[in-house]
PDB file of all heavy atoms in Angstrom:
ATOM      1  N   THR A   1      75.518  38.964  27.250  1.00 97.00           N
ATOM      2  CA  THR A   1      75.828  37.842  28.153  1.00 97.00           C
ATOM      3  C   THR A   1      74.906  36.730  27.967  1.00 97.00           C
ATOM      4  O   THR A   1      73.856  36.900  27.341  1.00 97.00           O
ATOM      5  CB  THR A   1      75.818  38.325  29.615  1.00 97.00           C
ATOM      6  OG1 THR A   1      74.366  38.625  29.959  1.00 97.00           O
ATOM      7  CG2 THR A   1      76.650  39.554  29.910  1.00 97.00           C
ATOM      8  N   LEU A   2      75.236  35.541  28.468  1.00 97.00           N
ATOM      9  CA  LEU A   2      74.315  34.399  28.398  1.00 97.00           C
ATOM     10  C   LEU A   2      73.010  34.702  29.054  1.00 97.00           C
ATOM     11  O   LEU A   2      71.945  34.436  28.584  1.00 97.00           O
ATOM     12  CB  LEU A   2      75.011  33.203  29.118  1.00 97.00           C
ATOM     13  CG  LEU A   2      74.171  31.896  29.147  1.00 97.00           C
ATOM     14  CD1 LEU A   2      73.781  31.395  27.720  1.00 97.00           C
ATOM     15  CD2 LEU A   2      74.917  30.831  29.890  1.00 97.00           C
ATOM     16  N   LYS A   3      73.057  35.425  30.248  1.00 96.00           N
ATOM     17  CA  LYS A   3      71.863  35.730  30.948  1.00 96.00           C
ATOM     18  C   LYS A   3      71.019  36.668  30.114  1.00 96.00           C
ATOM     19  O   LYS A   3      69.715  36.507  30.092  1.00 96.00           O
ATOM     20  CB  LYS A   3      72.220  36.380  32.262  1.00 96.00           C
ATOM     21  CG  LYS A   3      71.007  36.685  33.224  1.00 96.00           C
ATOM     22  CD  LYS A   3      71.438  37.177  34.501  1.00 96.00           C
ATOM     23  CE  LYS A   3      70.237  37.541  35.486  1.00 96.00           C
ATOM     24  NZ  LYS A   3      70.686  38.139  36.741  1.00 96.00           N
ATOM     25  N   GLU A   4      71.625  37.693  29.419  1.00 97.00           N
ATOM     26  CA  GLU A   4      70.829  38.591  28.675  1.00 97.00           C
ATOM     27  C   GLU A   4      70.134  37.879  27.439  1.00 97.00           C
ATOM     28  O   GLU A   4      68.993  38.171  27.184  1.00 97.00           O
ATOM     29  CB  GLU A   4      71.784  39.660  28.061  1.00 97.00           C
ATOM     30  CG  GLU A   4      72.211  40.674  29.105  1.00 97.00           C
ATOM     31  CD  GLU A   4      73.274  41.655  28.612  1.00 97.00           C
ATOM     32  OE1 GLU A   4      73.956  41.314  27.575  1.00 97.00           O
ATOM     33  OE2 GLU A   4      73.564  42.651  29.278  1.00 97.00           O
ATOM     34  N   ILE A   5      70.815  36.908  26.886  1.00 97.00           N
ATOM     35  CA  ILE A   5      70.202  36.161  25.728  1.00 97.00           C
ATOM     36  C   ILE A   5      69.044  35.317  26.278  1.00 97.00           C
ATOM     37  O   ILE A   5      67.953  35.318  25.690  1.00 97.00           O
ATOM     38  CB  ILE A   5      71.253  35.312  25.020  1.00 97.00           C
ATOM     39  CG1 ILE A   5      72.259  36.204  24.290  1.00 97.00           C
ATOM     40  CG2 ILE A   5      70.531  34.340  24.098  1.00 97.00           C
ATOM     41  CD1 ILE A   5      73.298  35.393  23.521  1.00 97.00           C
ATOM     42  N   MET A   6      69.288  34.693  27.414  1.00 97.00           N
ATOM     43  CA  MET A   6      68.222  33.794  27.962  1.00 97.00           C
ATOM     44  C   MET A   6      66.970  34.606  28.300  1.00 97.00           C
ATOM     45  O   MET A   6      65.812  34.057  28.161  1.00 97.00           O
ATOM     46  CB  MET A   6      68.800  33.120  29.245  1.00 97.00           C
ATOM     47  CG  MET A   6      69.821  32.059  28.905  1.00 97.00           C
ATOM     48  SD  MET A   6      69.030  30.517  28.236  1.00 97.00           S
ATOM     49  CE  MET A   6      68.254  29.892  29.690  1.00 97.00           C
ATOM     50  N   SER A   7      67.192  35.824  28.734  1.00 97.00           N
ATOM     51  CA  SER A   7      65.990  36.551  29.212  1.00 97.00           C
ATOM     52  C   SER A   7      65.413  37.556  28.169  1.00 97.00           C
ATOM     53  O   SER A   7      64.389  38.220  28.383  1.00 97.00           O
ATOM     54  CB  SER A   7      66.310  37.468  30.503  1.00 97.00           C
ATOM     55  OG  SER A   7      67.362  38.353  30.131  1.00 97.00           O
ATOM     56  N   SER A   8      66.023  37.558  26.992  1.00 97.00           N
ATOM     57  CA  SER A   8      65.634  38.500  25.965  1.00 97.00           C
ATOM     58  C   SER A   8      64.334  37.981  25.244  1.00 97.00           C
ATOM     59  O   SER A   8      64.268  36.816  24.846  1.00 97.00           O
ATOM     60  CB  SER A   8      66.744  38.715  24.925  1.00 97.00           C
ATOM     61  OG  SER A   8      66.255  39.453  23.789  1.00 97.00           O
ATOM     62  N   PRO A   9      63.412  38.882  24.935  1.00 97.00           N
ATOM     63  CA  PRO A   9      62.314  38.526  24.062  1.00 97.00           C
ATOM     64  C   PRO A   9      62.742  38.171  22.612  1.00 97.00           C
ATOM     65  O   PRO A   9      62.013  37.561  21.892  1.00 97.00           O
ATOM     66  CB  PRO A   9      61.375  39.745  24.065  1.00 97.00           C
ATOM     67  CG  PRO A   9      62.301  40.891  24.504  1.00 97.00           C
ATOM     68  CD  PRO A   9      63.318  40.304  25.396  1.00 97.00           C
ATOM     69  N   GLU A  10      64.025  38.599  22.286  1.00 97.00           N
ATOM     70  CA  GLU A  10      64.586  38.328  21.021  1.00 97.00           C
ATOM     71  C   GLU A  10      65.521  37.063  21.070  1.00 97.00           C
ATOM     72  O   GLU A  10      66.301  36.929  20.108  1.00 97.00           O
ATOM     73  CB  GLU A  10      65.303  39.510  20.468  1.00 97.00           C
ATOM     74  CG  GLU A  10      64.455  40.728  20.114  1.00 97.00           C
ATOM     75  CD  GLU A  10      63.643  40.432  18.786  1.00 97.00           C
ATOM     76  OE1 GLU A  10      64.279  40.259  17.789  1.00 97.00           O
ATOM     77  OE2 GLU A  10      62.449  40.407  18.880  1.00 97.00           O
ATOM     78  N   LYS A  11      65.319  36.283  22.097  1.00 98.00           N
ATOM     79  CA  LYS A  11      66.309  35.131  22.246  1.00 98.00           C
ATOM     80  C   LYS A  11      66.462  34.315  21.079  1.00 98.00           C
ATOM     81  O   LYS A  11      67.549  33.968  20.621  1.00 98.00           O
ATOM     82  CB  LYS A  11      65.826  34.308  23.402  1.00 98.00           C
ATOM     83  CG  LYS A  11      66.621  33.019  23.686  1.00 98.00           C
ATOM     84  CD  LYS A  11      66.136  32.234  24.870  1.00 98.00           C
ATOM     85  CE  LYS A  11      64.693  31.721  24.702  1.00 98.00           C
ATOM     86  NZ  LYS A  11      64.307  30.759  25.780  1.00 98.00           N
ATOM     87  N   THR A  12      65.349  33.877  20.411  1.00 98.00           N
ATOM     88  CA  THR A  12      65.422  33.044  19.289  1.00 98.00           C
ATOM     89  C   THR A  12      66.181  33.610  18.064  1.00 98.00           C
ATOM     90  O   THR A  12      67.002  33.031  17.468  1.00 98.00           O
ATOM     91  CB  THR A  12      63.962  32.545  18.787  1.00 98.00           C
ATOM     92  OG1 THR A  12      63.349  31.913  19.942  1.00 98.00           O
ATOM     93  CG2 THR A  12      64.062  31.606  17.713  1.00 98.00           C
ATOM     94  N   ARG A  13      65.884  34.933  17.809  1.00 97.00           N
ATOM     95  CA  ARG A  13      66.516  35.598  16.711  1.00 97.00           C
ATOM     96  C   ARG A  13      68.051  35.833  17.046  1.00 97.00           C
ATOM     97  O   ARG A  13      68.925  35.716  16.169  1.00 97.00           O
ATOM     98  CB  ARG A  13      65.885  36.961  16.517  1.00 97.00           C
ATOM     99  CG  ARG A  13      64.473  36.908  15.947  1.00 97.00           C
ATOM    100  CD  ARG A  13      63.913  38.253  15.639  1.00 97.00           C
ATOM    101  NE  ARG A  13      62.470  38.113  15.302  1.00 97.00           N
ATOM    102  CZ  ARG A  13      61.975  37.774  14.133  1.00 97.00           C
ATOM    103  NH1 ARG A  13      62.830  37.546  13.172  1.00 97.00           N
ATOM    104  NH2 ARG A  13      60.633  37.674  13.902  1.00 97.00           N
ATOM    105  N   LEU A  14      68.365  36.177  18.343  1.00 98.00           N
ATOM    106  CA  LEU A  14      69.798  36.317  18.664  1.00 98.00           C
ATOM    107  C   LEU A  14      70.564  34.965  18.496  1.00 98.00           C
ATOM    108  O   LEU A  14      71.655  34.935  18.047  1.00 98.00           O
ATOM    109  CB  LEU A  14      69.906  36.750  20.067  1.00 98.00           C
ATOM    110  CG  LEU A  14      69.453  38.236  20.368  1.00 98.00           C
ATOM    111  CD1 LEU A  14      69.401  38.493  21.912  1.00 98.00           C
ATOM    112  CD2 LEU A  14      70.427  39.198  19.673  1.00 98.00           C
ATOM    113  N   LEU A  15      69.887  33.883  19.000  1.00 98.00           N
ATOM    114  CA  LEU A  15      70.536  32.608  18.811  1.00 98.00           C
ATOM    115  C   LEU A  15      70.681  32.122  17.424  1.00 98.00           C
ATOM    116  O   LEU A  15      71.684  31.551  17.000  1.00 98.00           O
ATOM    117  CB  LEU A  15      69.726  31.550  19.698  1.00 98.00           C
ATOM    118  CG  LEU A  15      70.370  30.281  20.012  1.00 98.00           C
ATOM    119  CD1 LEU A  15      71.749  30.454  20.557  1.00 98.00           C
ATOM    120  CD2 LEU A  15      69.433  29.477  20.931  1.00 98.00           C
ATOM    121  N   ALA A  16      69.655  32.457  16.573  1.00 98.00           N
ATOM    122  CA  ALA A  16      69.711  32.136  15.157  1.00 98.00           C
ATOM    123  C   ALA A  16      70.971  32.866  14.528  1.00 98.00           C
ATOM    124  O   ALA A  16      71.671  32.315  13.673  1.00 98.00           O
ATOM    125  CB  ALA A  16      68.451  32.468  14.478  1.00 98.00           C
ATOM    126  N   ARG A  17      71.116  34.103  14.915  1.00 98.00           N
ATOM    127  CA  ARG A  17      72.258  34.921  14.356  1.00 98.00           C
ATOM    128  C   ARG A  17      73.595  34.222  14.734  1.00 98.00           C
ATOM    129  O   ARG A  17      74.479  34.128  13.925  1.00 98.00           O
ATOM    130  CB  ARG A  17      72.134  36.340  14.743  1.00 98.00           C
ATOM    131  CG  ARG A  17      71.094  37.127  13.983  1.00 98.00           C
ATOM    132  CD  ARG A  17      71.069  38.555  14.472  1.00 98.00           C
ATOM    133  NE  ARG A  17      70.229  39.415  13.616  1.00 98.00           N
ATOM    134  CZ  ARG A  17      68.864  39.486  13.767  1.00 98.00           C
ATOM    135  NH1 ARG A  17      68.294  38.806  14.725  1.00 98.00           N
ATOM    136  NH2 ARG A  17      68.162  40.231  12.938  1.00 98.00           N
ATOM    137  N   HIS A  18      73.717  33.948  16.058  1.00 98.00           N
ATOM    138  CA  HIS A  18      74.920  33.255  16.467  1.00 98.00           C
ATOM    139  C   HIS A  18      75.150  31.961  15.654  1.00 98.00           C
ATOM    140  O   HIS A  18      76.210  31.724  15.166  1.00 98.00           O
ATOM    141  CB  HIS A  18      74.914  32.951  17.970  1.00 98.00           C
ATOM    142  CG  HIS A  18      75.800  31.788  18.286  1.00 98.00           C
ATOM    143  ND1 HIS A  18      77.227  31.920  18.367  1.00 98.00           N
ATOM    144  CD2 HIS A  18      75.579  30.442  18.410  1.00 98.00           C
ATOM    145  CE1 HIS A  18      77.759  30.737  18.584  1.00 98.00           C
ATOM    146  NE2 HIS A  18      76.824  29.771  18.606  1.00 98.00           N
ATOM    147  N   ASN A  19      74.106  31.158  15.622  1.00 98.00           N
ATOM    148  CA  ASN A  19      74.257  29.865  14.853  1.00 98.00           C
ATOM    149  C   ASN A  19      74.694  30.042  13.461  1.00 98.00           C
ATOM    150  O   ASN A  19      75.482  29.285  12.954  1.00 98.00           O
ATOM    151  CB  ASN A  19      72.900  29.147  14.951  1.00 98.00           C
ATOM    152  CG  ASN A  19      72.590  28.619  16.338  1.00 98.00           C
ATOM    153  OD1 ASN A  19      73.486  28.465  17.174  1.00 98.00           O
ATOM    154  ND2 ASN A  19      71.330  28.154  16.476  1.00 98.00           N
ATOM    155  N   LEU A  20      74.200  31.105  12.789  1.00 98.00           N
ATOM    156  CA  LEU A  20      74.585  31.287  11.443  1.00 98.00           C
ATOM    157  C   LEU A  20      75.987  31.898  11.297  1.00 98.00           C
ATOM    158  O   LEU A  20      76.787  31.580  10.527  1.00 98.00           O
ATOM    159  CB  LEU A  20      73.640  32.238  10.738  1.00 98.00           C
ATOM    160  CG  LEU A  20      73.770  32.346   9.252  1.00 98.00           C
ATOM    161  CD1 LEU A  20      73.841  31.043   8.533  1.00 98.00           C
ATOM    162  CD2 LEU A  20      72.711  33.279   8.653  1.00 98.00           C
ATOM    163  N   TYR A  21      76.350  32.844  12.254  1.00 98.00           N
ATOM    164  CA  TYR A  21      77.672  33.349  12.278  1.00 98.00           C
ATOM    165  C   TYR A  21      78.722  32.220  12.361  1.00 98.00           C
ATOM    166  O   TYR A  21      79.741  32.202  11.668  1.00 98.00           O
ATOM    167  CB  TYR A  21      77.887  34.312  13.384  1.00 98.00           C
ATOM    168  CG  TYR A  21      77.480  35.781  13.155  1.00 98.00           C
ATOM    169  CD1 TYR A  21      76.571  36.434  13.909  1.00 98.00           C
ATOM    170  CD2 TYR A  21      78.060  36.508  12.063  1.00 98.00           C
ATOM    171  CE1 TYR A  21      76.270  37.761  13.658  1.00 98.00           C
ATOM    172  CE2 TYR A  21      77.726  37.754  11.712  1.00 98.00           C
ATOM    173  CZ  TYR A  21      76.788  38.470  12.605  1.00 98.00           C
ATOM    174  OH  TYR A  21      76.506  39.719  12.328  1.00 98.00           O
ATOM    175  N   VAL A  22      78.502  31.304  13.309  1.00 98.00           N
ATOM    176  CA  VAL A  22      79.507  30.262  13.519  1.00 98.00           C
ATOM    177  C   VAL A  22      79.551  29.313  12.339  1.00 98.00           C
ATOM    178  O   VAL A  22      80.607  28.781  12.026  1.00 98.00           O
ATOM    179  CB  VAL A  22      79.211  29.546  14.863  1.00 98.00           C
ATOM    180  CG1 VAL A  22      78.051  28.523  14.760  1.00 98.00           C
ATOM    181  CG2 VAL A  22      80.466  28.820  15.354  1.00 98.00           C
ATOM    182  N   SER A  23      78.413  29.154  11.712  1.00 98.00           N
ATOM    183  CA  SER A  23      78.408  28.258  10.485  1.00 98.00           C
ATOM    184  C   SER A  23      79.161  28.932   9.316  1.00 98.00           C
ATOM    185  O   SER A  23      79.972  28.235   8.658  1.00 98.00           O
ATOM    186  CB  SER A  23      76.941  27.996  10.102  1.00 98.00           C
ATOM    187  OG  SER A  23      76.238  27.365  11.158  1.00 98.00           O
ATOM    188  N   LEU A  24      78.958  30.196   9.133  1.00 98.00           N
ATOM    189  CA  LEU A  24      79.625  30.913   8.027  1.00 98.00           C
ATOM    190  C   LEU A  24      81.129  30.987   8.298  1.00 98.00           C
ATOM    191  O   LEU A  24      81.936  30.890   7.382  1.00 98.00           O
ATOM    192  CB  LEU A  24      79.014  32.308   7.805  1.00 98.00           C
ATOM    193  CG  LEU A  24      77.611  32.365   7.248  1.00 98.00           C
ATOM    194  CD1 LEU A  24      77.040  33.757   7.403  1.00 98.00           C
ATOM    195  CD2 LEU A  24      77.552  31.823   5.857  1.00 98.00           C
ATOM    196  N   GLN A  25      81.470  31.184   9.555  1.00 98.00           N
ATOM    197  CA  GLN A  25      82.884  31.238   9.993  1.00 98.00           C
ATOM    198  C   GLN A  25      83.542  29.869   9.664  1.00 98.00           C
ATOM    199  O   GLN A  25      84.720  29.854   9.206  1.00 98.00           O
ATOM    200  CB  GLN A  25      83.034  31.536  11.443  1.00 98.00           C
ATOM    201  CG  GLN A  25      84.460  31.527  11.971  1.00 98.00           C
ATOM    202  CD  GLN A  25      85.282  32.620  11.345  1.00 98.00           C
ATOM    203  OE1 GLN A  25      84.771  33.724  10.977  1.00 98.00           O
ATOM    204  NE2 GLN A  25      86.633  32.341  11.256  1.00 98.00           N
ATOM    205  N   GLU A  26      82.881  28.827   9.944  1.00 98.00           N
ATOM    206  CA  GLU A  26      83.470  27.455   9.669  1.00 98.00           C
ATOM    207  C   GLU A  26      83.642  27.219   8.218  1.00 98.00           C
ATOM    208  O   GLU A  26      84.696  26.642   7.811  1.00 98.00           O
ATOM    209  CB  GLU A  26      82.568  26.353  10.270  1.00 98.00           C
ATOM    210  CG  GLU A  26      83.062  24.982   9.971  1.00 98.00           C
ATOM    211  CD  GLU A  26      84.345  24.562  10.597  1.00 98.00           C
ATOM    212  OE1 GLU A  26      84.953  25.397  11.262  1.00 98.00           O
ATOM    213  OE2 GLU A  26      84.813  23.439  10.340  1.00 98.00           O
ATOM    214  N   ILE A  27      82.808  27.718   7.311  1.00 98.00           N
ATOM    215  CA  ILE A  27      82.966  27.587   5.900  1.00 98.00           C
ATOM    216  C   ILE A  27      84.233  28.372   5.478  1.00 98.00           C
ATOM    217  O   ILE A  27      85.068  27.829   4.699  1.00 98.00           O
ATOM    218  CB  ILE A  27      81.734  28.197   5.108  1.00 98.00           C
ATOM    219  CG1 ILE A  27      80.494  27.360   5.302  1.00 98.00           C
ATOM    220  CG2 ILE A  27      82.091  28.425   3.671  1.00 98.00           C
ATOM    221  CD1 ILE A  27      80.634  25.948   4.587  1.00 98.00           C
ATOM    222  N   LYS A  28      84.495  29.499   6.056  1.00 98.00           N
ATOM    223  CA  LYS A  28      85.768  30.201   5.769  1.00 98.00           C
ATOM    224  C   LYS A  28      86.983  29.421   6.263  1.00 98.00           C
ATOM    225  O   LYS A  28      87.970  29.378   5.547  1.00 98.00           O
ATOM    226  CB  LYS A  28      85.788  31.553   6.518  1.00 98.00           C
ATOM    227  CG  LYS A  28      84.809  32.584   5.943  1.00 98.00           C
ATOM    228  CD  LYS A  28      84.863  33.909   6.741  1.00 98.00           C
ATOM    229  CE  LYS A  28      83.718  34.865   6.267  1.00 98.00           C
ATOM    230  NZ  LYS A  28      83.803  36.097   7.068  1.00 98.00           N
ATOM    231  N   GLN A  29      86.880  28.794   7.386  1.00 98.00           N
ATOM    232  CA  GLN A  29      87.997  27.932   7.895  1.00 98.00           C
ATOM    233  C   GLN A  29      88.228  26.780   6.965  1.00 98.00           C
ATOM    234  O   GLN A  29      89.358  26.422   6.701  1.00 98.00           O
ATOM    235  CB  GLN A  29      87.676  27.436   9.323  1.00 98.00           C
ATOM    236  CG  GLN A  29      88.816  26.616   9.908  1.00 98.00           C
ATOM    237  CD  GLN A  29      90.155  27.417  10.076  1.00 98.00           C
ATOM    238  OE1 GLN A  29      90.140  28.413  10.708  1.00 98.00           O
ATOM    239  NE2 GLN A  29      91.140  26.980   9.366  1.00 98.00           N
ATOM    240  N   VAL A  30      87.137  26.169   6.440  1.00 98.00           N
ATOM    241  CA  VAL A  30      87.306  25.037   5.494  1.00 98.00           C
ATOM    242  C   VAL A  30      88.019  25.569   4.232  1.00 98.00           C
ATOM    243  O   VAL A  30      88.854  24.849   3.695  1.00 98.00           O
ATOM    244  CB  VAL A  30      85.891  24.492   5.207  1.00 98.00           C
ATOM    245  CG1 VAL A  30      85.982  23.541   3.992  1.00 98.00           C
ATOM    246  CG2 VAL A  30      85.362  23.717   6.408  1.00 98.00           C
ATOM    247  N   LYS A  31      87.576  26.731   3.782  1.00 98.00           N
ATOM    248  CA  LYS A  31      88.211  27.201   2.584  1.00 98.00           C
ATOM    249  C   LYS A  31      89.738  27.463   2.736  1.00 98.00           C
ATOM    250  O   LYS A  31      90.551  27.161   1.892  1.00 98.00           O
ATOM    251  CB  LYS A  31      87.508  28.571   2.085  1.00 98.00           C
ATOM    252  CG  LYS A  31      86.185  28.422   1.534  1.00 98.00           C
ATOM    253  CD  LYS A  31      85.717  29.836   1.159  1.00 98.00           C
ATOM    254  CE  LYS A  31      84.312  29.780   0.625  1.00 98.00           C
ATOM    255  NZ  LYS A  31      83.773  31.153   0.324  1.00 98.00           N
ATOM    256  N   GLU A  32      90.041  28.060   3.873  1.00 98.00           N
ATOM    257  CA  GLU A  32      91.489  28.359   4.169  1.00 98.00           C
ATOM    258  C   GLU A  32      92.271  27.042   4.246  1.00 98.00           C
ATOM    259  O   GLU A  32      93.367  26.986   3.823  1.00 98.00           O
ATOM    260  CB  GLU A  32      91.586  29.167   5.477  1.00 98.00           C
ATOM    261  CG  GLU A  32      93.011  29.545   5.866  1.00 98.00           C
ATOM    262  CD  GLU A  32      93.682  30.399   4.765  1.00 98.00           C
ATOM    263  OE1 GLU A  32      92.968  31.055   3.970  1.00 98.00           O
ATOM    264  OE2 GLU A  32      94.954  30.494   4.828  1.00 98.00           O
ATOM    265  N   SER A  33      91.656  26.026   4.810  1.00 98.00           N
ATOM    266  CA  SER A  33      92.279  24.746   4.956  1.00 98.00           C
ATOM    267  C   SER A  33      92.538  24.082   3.621  1.00 98.00           C
ATOM    268  O   SER A  33      93.589  23.482   3.399  1.00 98.00           O
ATOM    269  CB  SER A  33      91.476  23.828   5.873  1.00 98.00           C
ATOM    270  OG  SER A  33      91.329  24.336   7.212  1.00 98.00           O
ATOM    271  N   ILE A  34      91.538  24.298   2.758  1.00 98.00           N
ATOM    272  CA  ILE A  34      91.711  23.711   1.404  1.00 98.00           C
ATOM    273  C   ILE A  34      92.839  24.366   0.676  1.00 98.00           C
ATOM    274  O   ILE A  34      93.785  23.837   0.051  1.00 98.00           O
ATOM    275  CB  ILE A  34      90.474  23.859   0.539  1.00 98.00           C
ATOM    276  CG1 ILE A  34      89.352  22.909   1.147  1.00 98.00           C
ATOM    277  CG2 ILE A  34      90.642  23.504  -0.882  1.00 98.00           C
ATOM    278  CD1 ILE A  34      87.969  23.116   0.553  1.00 98.00           C
ATOM    279  N   ARG A  35      92.844  25.760   0.805  1.00 97.00           N
ATOM    280  CA  ARG A  35      93.890  26.556   0.068  1.00 97.00           C
ATOM    281  C   ARG A  35      95.241  26.265   0.583  1.00 97.00           C
ATOM    282  O   ARG A  35      96.198  26.138  -0.225  1.00 97.00           O
ATOM    283  CB  ARG A  35      93.588  28.044   0.381  1.00 97.00           C
ATOM    284  CG  ARG A  35      94.414  28.979  -0.519  1.00 97.00           C
ATOM    285  CD  ARG A  35      94.389  30.374   0.025  1.00 97.00           C
ATOM    286  NE  ARG A  35      94.946  30.504   1.378  1.00 97.00           N
ATOM    287  CZ  ARG A  35      96.246  30.508   1.617  1.00 97.00           C
ATOM    288  NH1 ARG A  35      97.131  30.451   0.637  1.00 97.00           N
ATOM    289  NH2 ARG A  35      96.771  30.607   2.880  1.00 97.00           N
ATOM    290  N   GLU A  36      95.441  25.959   1.916  1.00 97.00           N
ATOM    291  CA  GLU A  36      96.787  25.706   2.435  1.00 97.00           C
ATOM    292  C   GLU A  36      97.112  24.190   2.489  1.00 97.00           C
ATOM    293  O   GLU A  36      98.188  23.794   2.951  1.00 97.00           O
ATOM    294  CB  GLU A  36      96.951  26.325   3.812  1.00 97.00           C
ATOM    295  CG  GLU A  36      96.112  25.767   4.899  1.00 97.00           C
ATOM    296  CD  GLU A  36      96.307  26.503   6.171  1.00 97.00           C
ATOM    297  OE1 GLU A  36      96.787  27.661   6.186  1.00 97.00           O
ATOM    298  OE2 GLU A  36      96.072  25.951   7.286  1.00 97.00           O
TER     299      GLU A  36
END
């Protein structure tokens, strides 16, 4: 949950993982858009 991330000692690492997941996902969307 948002609250769990905010209070976690691993907050920065968790947020970095989210930020990278959403970035890699967008690259896949861009590829699919080029293909179609």
Side-chain angles (χ1 to χ4, degrees):
T1 65
L2 178 61
K3 185 177 180 180
E4 286 170 345
I5 291 178
M6 288 286 288
S7 61
S8 172
E10 290 289 296
K11 176 178 64 173
T12 302
R13 294 183 188 278
L14 290 170
L15 194 50
R17 284 180 172 83
H18 156 78
N19 288 344
L20 188 54
Y21 273 125
V22 78
S23 300
L24 293 169
Q25 177 65 30
E26 176 63 3
I27 290 290
K28 291 178 184 176
Q29 182 61 59
V30 167
K31 287 181 183 177
E32 183 61 20
S33 299
I34 293 172
R35 191 195 62 78
E36 67 183 21

